[in-house]
């Protein structure tokens, strides 16, 4: 039986590994240290990579049915331990119970669904004289680098496709949320052959070592756009494959014909789910001028009903900011609004003496397009509400960003909704819905929101080489006949 409250050890070569240098893990709702985990040395990383490389030999040759079976069994093991995973996730990440449930049960569903996926074999020609196929071979050792907002799900999005396609993996969780991932590694010791899945913990330097490591063939990274640039630069020296899932500044465009009362809660959660610490959160809300005041007031009224607090308390819907650095960053956005005299429709007053890193839900009333809160990604509960009048202008404003992760359009006139949606530059465009994800749906960013994608067959194949094999069936026969 796994003890989720203590003994957080790394997993390397199927064994528990610890070290003397430690990092603290905090509960963001109380600012208390809840555990100390190993800050891996370079040598410990080398050992994890070596064991992944050794395991790659037989794992890559195992029949796909075996790999599918073991990926499914990881899902089943998480499901059996769902309860302790959820409470640990709330403790280390801060998200309320419902959010932890969504993430843990989502991870289970993802592993089970991805375990049904096949790696395709394309037969391009098969004639009596010749056969040409393209198959997909694994890359080798994958380094997975994960952020703190969805620590389990975003690790699973990398683990499942990597293992299914025959790669082995070294996973590095964020130093802010290492605990659930360490327990996932511990669970996998009884499921997978040693070395197939390794978990190492450490700060950003460990990430840098991974991206430069000659024994790692691909980096699957989720995090900030700036960090993504570092990852790509460092990975270039060994020409590692990279999948980069980066930041977003998603626009939502609201047409004049919506049902305001019905829509306000949906738009609220589009922006504030996971305490707005969501790459795909609505981060700019463009409201048609004819309904601007009414929708703004409905959002304010709804927001007042939502409890911000310790995620461990049953009635909490929004938890704290996950870590102090992020808390300070969100405070800067609020200060910037105040300095420039932008009006808060709600919030803006932070109780800095609160027990945890809490920021109240903050709605900024029509700040200018060049304000920081519109241009940048706060990654916290502060949302600019913006007025629009002309369709062509709102589309241009929505696209006027280096980001291109997600976008949404809301309205009863489906023709207009589709027309506008079709012109948005984003990897996922939701029409009259938001935050709908699936293991079979490609997820990735346009522009500087990323390179490549996760999920779906497209995401799966990012863990493979394309290999074309041509066979001239006649050549030997011709020689024999001669
Ligand atoms: P971050 O970039 O600070 O850290 C992410 C991970 O990278 C951590 O594990 C960190 O230790 C590691 N890291 C830091 N510096 C590194 C370096 N130089 N080389 C290698 N690894 C390094 O991001 P974060 O603050 O943990 O997460 C928030 C960001 O992630 C936001 O910008 C958000 O939009 C983005 N995000 C994107 C997606 C997506 O799918 N597109 C999903 C979730 C979060």
């Amino acid at each position: 039986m796994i003890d989720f409250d203590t003994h957080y050890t790394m997993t390397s070569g199927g064994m528990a590994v610890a070290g003397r240098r430690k990092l603290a893990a905090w509960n963001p709702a109380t600012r208390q240290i809840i555990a100390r985990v190993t800050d891996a040395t370079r040598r410990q990383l080398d050992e994890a990579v070596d064991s992944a490389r050794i395991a790659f030999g037989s794992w890559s040759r195992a029949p796909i049915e075996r790999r599918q079976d073991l990926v499914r069994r990881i899902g089943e093991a998480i499901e059996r331990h769902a309860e302790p995973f959820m409470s640990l996730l709330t403790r280390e990440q801060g998200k309320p119970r419902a959010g932890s449930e969504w993430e843990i049960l989502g991870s289970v569903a993802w592993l089970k669904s991805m375990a049904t996926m096949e790696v395709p074999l394309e037969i391009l020609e098969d004639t009596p004289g010749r056969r040409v196929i393209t198959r997909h071979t694994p890359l080798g050792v994958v380094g997975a680098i994960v952020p703190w907002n969805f620590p389990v799900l975003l690790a699973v999005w990398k683990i499942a496709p990597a293992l299914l396609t025959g790669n082995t993996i070294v996973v590095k969780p964020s130093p802010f949320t290492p605990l659930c991932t360490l327990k996932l590694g511990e669970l996998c010791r009884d499921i997978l052959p040693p070395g197939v899945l390794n978990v190492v913990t450490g700060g950003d330097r460990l990430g840098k070592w991974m991206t430069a490591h000659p024994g790692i063939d691909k980096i699957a990274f989720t995090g900030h756009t700036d960090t993504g640039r570092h990852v790509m630069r460092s990975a270039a020296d060994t020409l590692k494959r990279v999948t980069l899932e980066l930041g977003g500044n998603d626009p939502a465009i609201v047409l004049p014909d919506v049902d305001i009362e019905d829509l306000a809660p949906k738009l609220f959660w589009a922006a504030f789910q996971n305490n707005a610490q969501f790459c795909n959160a609505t981060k700019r809300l463009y409201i048609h001028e004819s309904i601007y005041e009414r929708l703004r007031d409905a959002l304010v009224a709804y927001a007042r009903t939502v409890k911000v607090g310790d995620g461990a308390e049953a009635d909490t819907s929004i938890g704290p900011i996950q870590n102090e650095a992020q808390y300070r960053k969100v405070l800067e956005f609020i200060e910037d609004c105040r300095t420039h005299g932008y009006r808060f429709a709600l919030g803006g007053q932070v109780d800095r003496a609160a027990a945890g890193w809490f920021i109240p839900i903050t709605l900024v009333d029509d700040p200018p397009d060049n304000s920081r809160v519109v241009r940048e990604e706060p990654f916290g509960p502060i949302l600019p509400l913006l007025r629009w009048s002309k369709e062509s202008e709102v589309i241009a404003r929505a696209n006027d960003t280096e980001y291109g992760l997600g976008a949404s359009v809301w309205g009863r006139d489906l023709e207009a909704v589709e027309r506008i949606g079709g012109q948005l530059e984003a990897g996922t465009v939701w029409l009259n819905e938001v935050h709908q994800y699936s293991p079979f749906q490609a997820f990735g960013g346009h522009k500087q929101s990323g390179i490549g994608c996760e999920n779906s067959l497209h995401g799966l194949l990012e863990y493979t080489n394309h290999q074309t094999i041509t066979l001239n069936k006649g050549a030997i026969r011709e020689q024999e006949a001669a």
Side-chain angles (χ1 to χ4, degrees), residues 145-149 154 172-175 202-204 207-208 211 221-225 227 230-231 245-248 278-279 283 326 377 379 405 443 449 454:
I145 303 180
V146 183
W148 47 259
N149 61 337
L154 294 179
K172 184 194 101 58
S174 164
D204 297 350
K208 290 184 191 161
T211 57
F221 171 82
T222 304
H224 276 290
T225 294
T227 318
H230 288 296
V231 168
E245 294 287 2
L246 308 177
F278 205 150
C279 52
K283 296 187 180 121
Q326 186 61 28
E377 181 190 35
F379 220 61
L405 194 57
F443 176 82
S449 283
E454 294 193 296

mmCIF file of all heavy atoms in Angstrom, residues 145-149 154 172-175 202-204 207-208 211 221-225 227 230-231 245-248 278-279 283 326 377 379 405 443 449 454, ligand 1:
data_model
loop_
_atom_site.group_PDB
_atom_site.id
_atom_site.type_symbol
_atom_site.label_atom_id
_atom_site.label_comp_id
_atom_site.label_asym_id
_atom_site.label_seq_id
_atom_site.Cartn_x
_atom_site.Cartn_y
_atom_site.Cartn_z
ATOM 1 N N ILE A 145 9.099 17.475 -19.437
ATOM 2 C CA ILE A 145 9.250 18.594 -18.487
ATOM 3 C C ILE A 145 7.878 19.246 -18.324
ATOM 4 O O ILE A 145 7.271 19.681 -19.303
ATOM 5 C CB ILE A 145 10.301 19.605 -18.994
ATOM 6 C CG1 ILE A 145 11.646 18.888 -19.224
ATOM 7 C CG2 ILE A 145 10.455 20.751 -18.016
ATOM 8 C CD1 ILE A 145 12.769 19.786 -19.725
ATOM 9 N N VAL A 146 7.413 19.295 -17.086
ATOM 10 C CA VAL A 146 5.986 19.542 -16.815
ATOM 11 C C VAL A 146 5.834 20.786 -15.919
ATOM 12 O O VAL A 146 6.664 21.014 -15.039
ATOM 13 C CB VAL A 146 5.392 18.283 -16.113
ATOM 14 C CG1 VAL A 146 3.901 18.436 -15.869
ATOM 15 C CG2 VAL A 146 5.666 17.023 -16.944
ATOM 16 N N PRO A 147 4.775 21.599 -16.126
ATOM 17 C CA PRO A 147 4.542 22.761 -15.256
ATOM 18 C C PRO A 147 3.697 22.403 -14.032
ATOM 19 O O PRO A 147 3.339 21.241 -13.838
ATOM 20 C CB PRO A 147 3.785 23.714 -16.178
ATOM 21 C CG PRO A 147 2.968 22.806 -17.029
ATOM 22 C CD PRO A 147 3.748 21.515 -17.190
ATOM 23 N N TRP A 148 3.333 23.443 -13.263
ATOM 24 C CA TRP A 148 2.681 23.197 -11.969
ATOM 25 C C TRP A 148 1.168 23.347 -12.017
ATOM 26 O O TRP A 148 0.507 23.144 -11.001
ATOM 27 C CB TRP A 148 3.254 24.128 -10.891
ATOM 28 C CG TRP A 148 3.368 25.571 -11.304
ATOM 29 C CD1 TRP A 148 4.511 26.208 -11.709
ATOM 30 C CD2 TRP A 148 2.333 26.552 -11.381
ATOM 31 N NE1 TRP A 148 4.251 27.515 -12.037
ATOM 32 C CE2 TRP A 148 2.918 27.762 -11.843
ATOM 33 C CE3 TRP A 148 0.962 26.547 -11.118
ATOM 34 C CZ2 TRP A 148 2.180 28.927 -12.034
ATOM 35 C CZ3 TRP A 148 0.231 27.707 -11.307
ATOM 36 C CH2 TRP A 148 0.839 28.874 -11.757
ATOM 37 N N ASN A 149 0.585 23.726 -13.161
ATOM 38 C CA ASN A 149 -0.860 24.008 -13.112
ATOM 39 C C ASN A 149 -1.729 22.748 -13.209
ATOM 40 O O ASN A 149 -2.760 22.656 -12.547
ATOM 41 C CB ASN A 149 -1.253 25.051 -14.167
ATOM 42 C CG ASN A 149 -0.960 24.623 -15.573
ATOM 43 O OD1 ASN A 149 -0.102 23.771 -15.812
ATOM 44 N ND2 ASN A 149 -1.668 25.202 -16.520
ATOM 45 N N LEU A 154 -0.802 16.748 -17.269
ATOM 46 C CA LEU A 154 0.159 17.114 -18.320
ATOM 47 C C LEU A 154 1.347 16.148 -18.353
ATOM 48 O O LEU A 154 1.990 15.992 -19.394
ATOM 49 C CB LEU A 154 0.604 18.570 -18.152
ATOM 50 C CG LEU A 154 -0.540 19.578 -18.379
ATOM 51 C CD1 LEU A 154 -0.054 21.010 -18.182
ATOM 52 C CD2 LEU A 154 -1.173 19.431 -19.753
ATOM 53 N N LYS A 172 10.227 15.003 -15.427
ATOM 54 C CA LYS A 172 10.581 15.993 -14.406
ATOM 55 C C LYS A 172 9.371 16.874 -14.122
ATOM 56 O O LYS A 172 8.969 17.677 -14.958
ATOM 57 C CB LYS A 172 11.724 16.889 -14.884
ATOM 58 C CG LYS A 172 12.172 17.846 -13.795
ATOM 59 C CD LYS A 172 13.054 18.963 -14.319
ATOM 60 C CE LYS A 172 12.339 20.255 -14.508
ATOM 61 N NZ LYS A 172 11.698 20.808 -13.315
ATOM 62 N N PRO A 173 8.778 16.722 -12.940
ATOM 63 C CA PRO A 173 7.674 17.630 -12.597
ATOM 64 C C PRO A 173 8.226 19.015 -12.253
ATOM 65 O O PRO A 173 9.431 19.180 -12.065
ATOM 66 C CB PRO A 173 7.059 16.983 -11.351
ATOM 67 C CG PRO A 173 8.150 16.165 -10.754
ATOM 68 C CD PRO A 173 9.076 15.763 -11.871
ATOM 69 N N SER A 174 7.327 19.986 -12.156
ATOM 70 C CA SER A 174 7.734 21.314 -11.699
ATOM 71 C C SER A 174 8.232 21.200 -10.256
ATOM 72 O O SER A 174 7.679 20.445 -9.462
ATOM 73 C CB SER A 174 6.535 22.261 -11.748
ATOM 74 O OG SER A 174 6.813 23.419 -10.981
ATOM 75 N N PRO A 175 9.251 21.978 -9.887
ATOM 76 C CA PRO A 175 9.699 21.950 -8.478
ATOM 77 C C PRO A 175 8.591 22.404 -7.524
ATOM 78 O O PRO A 175 8.654 22.128 -6.324
ATOM 79 C CB PRO A 175 10.879 22.925 -8.458
ATOM 80 C CG PRO A 175 10.782 23.721 -9.722
ATOM 81 C CD PRO A 175 10.044 22.879 -10.712
ATOM 82 N N GLY A 202 13.725 18.262 -9.267
ATOM 83 C CA GLY A 202 14.748 19.284 -9.095
ATOM 84 C C GLY A 202 14.241 20.591 -9.650
ATOM 85 O O GLY A 202 13.120 20.671 -10.154
ATOM 86 N N GLY A 203 15.092 21.603 -9.554
ATOM 87 C CA GLY A 203 14.689 22.929 -10.018
ATOM 88 C C GLY A 203 14.910 23.084 -11.510
ATOM 89 O O GLY A 203 15.061 22.101 -12.247
ATOM 90 N N ASP A 204 14.959 24.362 -11.940
ATOM 91 C CA ASP A 204 15.071 24.630 -13.369
ATOM 92 C C ASP A 204 16.381 24.092 -13.943
ATOM 93 O O ASP A 204 16.458 23.728 -15.113
ATOM 94 C CB ASP A 204 14.962 26.137 -13.622
ATOM 95 C CG ASP A 204 13.588 26.663 -13.204
ATOM 96 O OD1 ASP A 204 12.701 25.835 -12.912
ATOM 97 O OD2 ASP A 204 13.415 27.898 -13.174
ATOM 98 N N GLY A 207 16.006 20.832 -15.484
ATOM 99 C CA GLY A 207 15.404 20.942 -16.822
ATOM 100 C C GLY A 207 16.458 21.268 -17.860
ATOM 101 O O GLY A 207 16.488 20.688 -18.950
ATOM 102 N N LYS A 208 17.364 22.187 -17.505
ATOM 103 C CA LYS A 208 18.424 22.578 -18.460
ATOM 104 C C LYS A 208 19.333 21.393 -18.750
ATOM 105 O O LYS A 208 19.728 21.177 -19.895
ATOM 106 C CB LYS A 208 19.247 23.730 -17.878
ATOM 107 C CG LYS A 208 18.489 25.025 -17.817
ATOM 108 C CD LYS A 208 19.386 26.150 -17.322
ATOM 109 C CE LYS A 208 18.558 27.378 -17.014
ATOM 110 N NZ LYS A 208 19.192 28.337 -16.163
ATOM 111 N N THR A 211 17.555 19.140 -21.250
ATOM 112 C CA THR A 211 17.461 19.586 -22.649
ATOM 113 C C THR A 211 18.803 19.478 -23.359
ATOM 114 O O THR A 211 18.857 19.390 -24.584
ATOM 115 C CB THR A 211 16.945 21.045 -22.752
ATOM 116 O OG1 THR A 211 17.825 21.886 -22.004
ATOM 117 C CG2 THR A 211 15.537 21.165 -22.222
ATOM 118 N N PHE A 221 7.740 19.279 -23.715
ATOM 119 C CA PHE A 221 7.777 20.365 -22.723
ATOM 120 C C PHE A 221 6.455 21.111 -22.675
ATOM 121 O O PHE A 221 5.890 21.457 -23.715
ATOM 122 C CB PHE A 221 8.898 21.354 -23.104
ATOM 123 C CG PHE A 221 8.890 22.610 -22.270
ATOM 124 C CD1 PHE A 221 9.478 22.630 -21.019
ATOM 125 C CD2 PHE A 221 8.277 23.773 -22.732
ATOM 126 C CE1 PHE A 221 9.458 23.782 -20.234
ATOM 127 C CE2 PHE A 221 8.244 24.928 -21.959
ATOM 128 C CZ PHE A 221 8.842 24.931 -20.710
ATOM 129 N N THR A 222 5.980 21.399 -21.489
ATOM 130 C CA THR A 222 4.862 22.334 -21.305
ATOM 131 C C THR A 222 5.300 23.388 -20.305
ATOM 132 O O THR A 222 5.788 23.053 -19.220
ATOM 133 C CB THR A 222 3.600 21.628 -20.781
ATOM 134 O OG1 THR A 222 3.263 20.569 -21.675
ATOM 135 C CG2 THR A 222 2.429 22.587 -20.700
ATOM 136 N N GLY A 223 5.129 24.647 -20.679
ATOM 137 C CA GLY A 223 5.497 25.736 -19.771
ATOM 138 C C GLY A 223 5.434 27.065 -20.480
ATOM 139 O O GLY A 223 4.754 27.212 -21.501
ATOM 140 N N HIS A 224 6.149 28.026 -19.935
ATOM 141 C CA HIS A 224 6.142 29.387 -20.471
ATOM 142 C C HIS A 224 6.751 29.454 -21.865
ATOM 143 O O HIS A 224 7.684 28.713 -22.172
ATOM 144 C CB HIS A 224 7.001 30.287 -19.581
ATOM 145 C CG HIS A 224 6.260 30.808 -18.411
ATOM 146 N ND1 HIS A 224 5.264 31.730 -18.541
ATOM 147 C CD2 HIS A 224 6.370 30.536 -17.104
ATOM 148 C CE1 HIS A 224 4.778 31.993 -17.336
ATOM 149 N NE2 HIS A 224 5.425 31.279 -16.458
ATOM 150 N N THR A 225 6.302 30.421 -22.634
ATOM 151 C CA THR A 225 6.883 30.638 -23.960
ATOM 152 C C THR A 225 8.376 30.970 -23.846
ATOM 153 O O THR A 225 9.195 30.443 -24.607
ATOM 154 C CB THR A 225 6.102 31.752 -24.692
ATOM 155 O OG1 THR A 225 4.776 31.242 -24.933
ATOM 156 C CG2 THR A 225 6.730 32.119 -26.013
ATOM 157 N N THR A 227 10.491 30.039 -21.530
ATOM 158 C CA THR A 227 11.234 28.816 -21.205
ATOM 159 C C THR A 227 11.309 27.933 -22.455
ATOM 160 O O THR A 227 12.337 27.311 -22.717
ATOM 161 C CB THR A 227 10.557 28.048 -20.051
ATOM 162 O OG1 THR A 227 10.127 28.975 -19.066
ATOM 163 C CG2 THR A 227 11.493 27.047 -19.423
ATOM 164 N N HIS A 230 14.220 28.744 -24.485
ATOM 165 C CA HIS A 230 15.466 28.176 -23.937
ATOM 166 C C HIS A 230 15.564 26.694 -24.273
ATOM 167 O O HIS A 230 16.624 26.196 -24.634
ATOM 168 C CB HIS A 230 15.506 28.316 -22.407
ATOM 169 C CG HIS A 230 15.714 29.719 -21.929
ATOM 170 N ND1 HIS A 230 16.860 30.418 -22.200
ATOM 171 C CD2 HIS A 230 14.926 30.546 -21.212
ATOM 172 C CE1 HIS A 230 16.765 31.628 -21.668
ATOM 173 N NE2 HIS A 230 15.593 31.731 -21.068
ATOM 174 N N VAL A 231 14.443 26.006 -24.125
ATOM 175 C CA VAL A 231 14.425 24.556 -24.366
ATOM 176 C C VAL A 231 14.846 24.280 -25.813
ATOM 177 O O VAL A 231 15.702 23.439 -26.083
ATOM 178 C CB VAL A 231 13.016 23.978 -24.090
ATOM 179 C CG1 VAL A 231 12.895 22.551 -24.604
ATOM 180 C CG2 VAL A 231 12.700 24.047 -22.589
ATOM 181 N N GLU A 245 4.506 22.949 -25.695
ATOM 182 C CA GLU A 245 3.160 23.470 -25.380
ATOM 183 C C GLU A 245 3.374 24.681 -24.493
ATOM 184 O O GLU A 245 3.775 24.528 -23.334
ATOM 185 C CB GLU A 245 2.339 22.408 -24.642
ATOM 186 C CG GLU A 245 2.010 21.180 -25.466
ATOM 187 C CD GLU A 245 0.945 21.424 -26.526
ATOM 188 O OE1 GLU A 245 0.483 22.571 -26.659
ATOM 189 O OE2 GLU A 245 0.588 20.468 -27.219
ATOM 190 N N LEU A 246 3.115 25.881 -25.029
ATOM 191 C CA LEU A 246 3.567 27.092 -24.330
ATOM 192 C C LEU A 246 2.394 27.969 -23.886
ATOM 193 O O LEU A 246 1.269 27.496 -23.772
ATOM 194 C CB LEU A 246 4.550 27.832 -25.234
ATOM 195 C CG LEU A 246 5.695 26.951 -25.770
ATOM 196 C CD1 LEU A 246 6.587 27.725 -26.720
ATOM 197 C CD2 LEU A 246 6.509 26.334 -24.642
ATOM 198 N N GLY A 247 2.692 29.222 -23.663
ATOM 199 C CA GLY A 247 1.684 30.114 -23.091
ATOM 200 C C GLY A 247 0.559 30.450 -24.048
ATOM 201 O O GLY A 247 0.614 30.149 -25.242
ATOM 202 N N GLY A 248 -0.466 31.084 -23.504
ATOM 203 C CA GLY A 248 -1.600 31.491 -24.325
ATOM 204 C C GLY A 248 -2.155 32.818 -23.836
ATOM 205 O O GLY A 248 -1.881 33.249 -22.705
ATOM 206 N N PHE A 278 -4.343 28.525 -16.183
ATOM 207 C CA PHE A 278 -4.754 27.591 -17.226
ATOM 208 C C PHE A 278 -4.240 28.188 -18.532
ATOM 209 O O PHE A 278 -4.582 29.318 -18.874
ATOM 210 C CB PHE A 278 -6.300 27.542 -17.228
ATOM 211 C CG PHE A 278 -6.905 26.287 -17.768
ATOM 212 C CD1 PHE A 278 -8.132 25.838 -17.286
ATOM 213 C CD2 PHE A 278 -6.288 25.569 -18.766
ATOM 214 C CE1 PHE A 278 -8.719 24.670 -17.764
ATOM 215 C CE2 PHE A 278 -6.855 24.404 -19.263
ATOM 216 C CZ PHE A 278 -8.073 23.960 -18.763
ATOM 217 N N CYS A 279 -3.417 27.405 -19.248
ATOM 218 C CA CYS A 279 -2.871 27.934 -20.501
ATOM 219 C C CYS A 279 -4.000 28.367 -21.426
ATOM 220 O O CYS A 279 -3.909 29.354 -22.125
ATOM 221 C CB CYS A 279 -2.006 26.871 -21.170
ATOM 222 S SG CYS A 279 -2.839 25.299 -21.372
ATOM 223 N N LYS A 283 -8.435 34.819 -21.643
ATOM 224 C CA LYS A 283 -7.624 35.853 -20.972
ATOM 225 C C LYS A 283 -7.959 37.259 -21.475
ATOM 226 O O LYS A 283 -7.444 38.244 -20.952
ATOM 227 C CB LYS A 283 -6.139 35.523 -21.142
ATOM 228 C CG LYS A 283 -5.784 34.204 -20.429
ATOM 229 C CD LYS A 283 -4.318 33.876 -20.391
ATOM 230 C CE LYS A 283 -4.116 32.552 -19.655
ATOM 231 N NZ LYS A 283 -3.463 31.542 -20.435
ATOM 232 N N GLN A 326 4.554 33.231 -8.644
ATOM 233 C CA GLN A 326 3.398 33.512 -9.494
ATOM 234 C C GLN A 326 2.471 34.524 -8.824
ATOM 235 O O GLN A 326 1.916 35.412 -9.478
ATOM 236 C CB GLN A 326 2.660 32.203 -9.801
ATOM 237 C CG GLN A 326 1.530 32.347 -10.783
ATOM 238 C CD GLN A 326 1.986 32.862 -12.147
ATOM 239 O OE1 GLN A 326 3.118 32.635 -12.551
ATOM 240 N NE2 GLN A 326 1.113 33.568 -12.824
ATOM 241 N N GLU A 377 0.252 37.464 -20.462
ATOM 242 C CA GLU A 377 -0.495 36.360 -19.853
ATOM 243 C C GLU A 377 -0.341 36.436 -18.330
ATOM 244 O O GLU A 377 0.700 36.042 -17.798
ATOM 245 C CB GLU A 377 0.094 35.029 -20.364
ATOM 246 C CG GLU A 377 -0.608 33.816 -19.824
ATOM 247 C CD GLU A 377 0.121 32.505 -20.138
ATOM 248 O OE1 GLU A 377 1.363 32.473 -20.157
ATOM 249 O OE2 GLU A 377 -0.576 31.498 -20.308
ATOM 250 N N PHE A 379 -1.818 34.671 -15.986
ATOM 251 C CA PHE A 379 -1.858 33.331 -15.384
ATOM 252 C C PHE A 379 -2.338 33.405 -13.938
ATOM 253 O O PHE A 379 -1.766 32.818 -13.022
ATOM 254 C CB PHE A 379 -0.482 32.670 -15.471
ATOM 255 C CG PHE A 379 -0.551 31.205 -15.797
ATOM 256 C CD1 PHE A 379 -1.104 30.759 -16.976
ATOM 257 C CD2 PHE A 379 -0.067 30.257 -14.909
ATOM 258 C CE1 PHE A 379 -1.183 29.418 -17.271
ATOM 259 C CE2 PHE A 379 -0.140 28.904 -15.193
ATOM 260 C CZ PHE A 379 -0.690 28.485 -16.381
ATOM 261 N N LEU A 405 -2.932 29.980 -28.837
ATOM 262 C CA LEU A 405 -3.246 28.672 -28.257
ATOM 263 C C LEU A 405 -4.727 28.321 -28.463
ATOM 264 O O LEU A 405 -5.050 27.336 -29.104
ATOM 265 C CB LEU A 405 -2.877 28.671 -26.767
ATOM 266 C CG LEU A 405 -2.842 27.297 -26.101
ATOM 267 C CD1 LEU A 405 -1.880 26.372 -26.812
ATOM 268 C CD2 LEU A 405 -2.441 27.420 -24.628
ATOM 269 N N PHE A 443 -4.172 18.934 -29.769
ATOM 270 C CA PHE A 443 -4.092 20.114 -28.909
ATOM 271 C C PHE A 443 -2.701 20.723 -29.048
ATOM 272 O O PHE A 443 -1.706 20.054 -28.779
ATOM 273 C CB PHE A 443 -4.342 19.708 -27.444
ATOM 274 C CG PHE A 443 -4.184 20.856 -26.498
ATOM 275 C CD1 PHE A 443 -5.222 21.744 -26.308
ATOM 276 C CD2 PHE A 443 -2.996 21.056 -25.822
ATOM 277 C CE1 PHE A 443 -5.064 22.833 -25.462
ATOM 278 C CE2 PHE A 443 -2.836 22.142 -24.975
ATOM 279 C CZ PHE A 443 -3.873 23.030 -24.788
ATOM 280 N N SER A 449 2.741 30.052 -29.288
ATOM 281 C CA SER A 449 2.146 29.201 -28.247
ATOM 282 C C SER A 449 2.635 27.768 -28.347
ATOM 283 O O SER A 449 2.194 26.916 -27.572
ATOM 284 C CB SER A 449 0.615 29.239 -28.329
ATOM 285 O OG SER A 449 0.139 30.438 -27.771
ATOM 286 N N GLU A 454 -0.109 17.809 -28.802
ATOM 287 C CA GLU A 454 -0.284 16.626 -27.962
ATOM 288 C C GLU A 454 -1.655 16.033 -28.274
ATOM 289 O O GLU A 454 -2.522 16.687 -28.851
ATOM 290 C CB GLU A 454 -0.182 17.000 -26.479
ATOM 291 C CG GLU A 454 1.212 17.478 -26.131
ATOM 292 C CD GLU A 454 1.481 17.573 -24.637
ATOM 293 O OE1 GLU A 454 0.823 18.390 -23.969
ATOM 294 O OE2 GLU A 454 2.355 16.835 -24.144
HETATM 295 P P1 LIG B 1 7.827 27.271 -16.565
HETATM 296 O O1 LIG B 1 8.215 27.458 -17.987
HETATM 297 O O2 LIG B 1 8.384 28.202 -15.561
HETATM 298 O O3 LIG B 1 8.242 25.819 -16.051
HETATM 299 C C1 LIG B 1 7.820 24.643 -16.701
HETATM 300 C C2 LIG B 1 8.832 23.551 -16.442
HETATM 301 O O4 LIG B 1 10.068 23.885 -17.073
HETATM 302 C C3 LIG B 1 9.164 23.325 -14.974
HETATM 303 O O5 LIG B 1 9.296 21.930 -14.760
HETATM 304 C C4 LIG B 1 10.509 24.028 -14.821
HETATM 305 O O6 LIG B 1 11.310 23.535 -13.765
HETATM 306 C C5 LIG B 1 11.146 23.755 -16.160
HETATM 307 N N1 LIG B 1 12.172 24.728 -16.571
HETATM 308 C C6 LIG B 1 12.330 26.006 -16.187
HETATM 309 N N2 LIG B 1 13.381 26.577 -16.831
HETATM 310 C C7 LIG B 1 13.871 25.622 -17.658
HETATM 311 C C8 LIG B 1 14.928 25.600 -18.618
HETATM 312 N N3 LIG B 1 15.697 26.682 -18.864
HETATM 313 N N4 LIG B 1 15.143 24.471 -19.309
HETATM 314 C C9 LIG B 1 14.356 23.375 -19.123
HETATM 315 N N5 LIG B 1 13.357 23.330 -18.213
HETATM 316 C C10 LIG B 1 13.104 24.449 -17.502
HETATM 317 O O7 LIG B 1 6.236 27.267 -16.565
HETATM 318 P P2 LIG B 1 5.231 27.176 -15.319
HETATM 319 O O8 LIG B 1 5.274 28.478 -14.592
HETATM 320 O O9 LIG B 1 5.490 25.921 -14.575
HETATM 321 O O10 LIG B 1 3.825 27.014 -16.080
HETATM 322 C C11 LIG B 1 3.053 28.085 -16.518
HETATM 323 C C12 LIG B 1 3.192 28.301 -18.019
HETATM 324 O O11 LIG B 1 2.918 27.095 -18.704
HETATM 325 C C13 LIG B 1 2.197 29.314 -18.563
HETATM 326 O O12 LIG B 1 2.822 30.156 -19.505
HETATM 327 C C14 LIG B 1 1.155 28.450 -19.260
HETATM 328 O O13 LIG B 1 0.417 29.094 -20.275
HETATM 329 C C15 LIG B 1 2.011 27.342 -19.777
HETATM 330 N N6 LIG B 1 1.200 26.155 -20.026
HETATM 331 C C16 LIG B 1 0.999 25.768 -21.313
HETATM 332 C C17 LIG B 1 0.195 24.663 -21.584
HETATM 333 C C18 LIG B 1 -0.038 24.210 -22.987
HETATM 334 O O14 LIG B 1 -0.437 23.072 -23.150
HETATM 335 N N7 LIG B 1 0.202 25.005 -23.992
HETATM 336 C C19 LIG B 1 -0.387 23.963 -20.540
HETATM 337 C C20 LIG B 1 -0.148 24.391 -19.232
HETATM 338 C C21 LIG B 1 0.658 25.479 -18.988
#
